[in-house]
Amino acid sequence: MSTASPLTNSTSLATPGEVSAAATVKPAGNSSAATILAGAQTGRFVLQDFTPLADSIEWELGQHFWRRQGNQAFIGAAPVPFVINNDGVLSRHAADVLFAALEAADQAGTLEAE
């Protein structure tokens, strides 16, 4: 077991519809974060439980890509994939979570005054 990284990773499989539905979940009343997360993760298949990042399936797939592509990943016909994490979707999801939390705090009366 590698201890190179304290980061952990859990890989799950969800359909695009499930990802979209999970991104639009809004808390009802005083729902706890755990309740909201449980609802967002319903129906997903766990491919690998939490594990150090360097021991994860995601890491292994990345390493396989780099071994196979080498320097051609940067100069060849199949460039380094970047759209998956640079297309604004993650930012939109983070903004949705922040907005939902602020909306819930406002409804609960726990939002700080300006």
Side-chain angles (χ1 to χ4, degrees), residues 26-27 98-108:
K26 300 274 192 264
L98 174 63
F99 182 75
L102 290 172
E103 203 170 52
D106 188 39
Q107 290 175 357

Side-chain angles (χ1 to χ4, degrees), residues 1-8 51-56 59-60:
M1 178 175 168
S2 172
T3 57
S5 173
L7 302 176
T8 59
T51 185
L53 180 60
D55 295 334
S56 70
W59 185 271
E60 289 299 319

Side-chain angles (χ1 to χ4, degrees), residues 9-89:
N9 186 34
S10 179
T11 306
S12 64
L13 178 65
T15 66
E18 289 172 332
V19 171
S20 176
T24 58
V25 171
K26 300 274 192 264
N30 291 331
S31 296
S32 70
T35 303
I36 294 166
L37 287 174
Q41 295 175 353
T42 301
R44 292 186 179 187
F45 300 98
V46 175
L47 298 178
Q48 182 177 41
D49 203 359
F50 286 98
T51 185
L53 180 60
D55 295 334
S56 70
I57 293 171
E58 184 176 1
W59 185 271
E60 289 299 319
L61 289 172
Q63 292 300 305
H64 175 73
F65 173 83
W66 293 114
R67 280 191 296 271
R68 195 177 86 233
Q69 292 293 321
N71 67 352
Q72 291 300 309
F74 298 97
I75 59 176
V80 173
F82 64 91
V83 173
I84 193 164
N85 57 6
N86 288 315
D87 67 352
V89 171

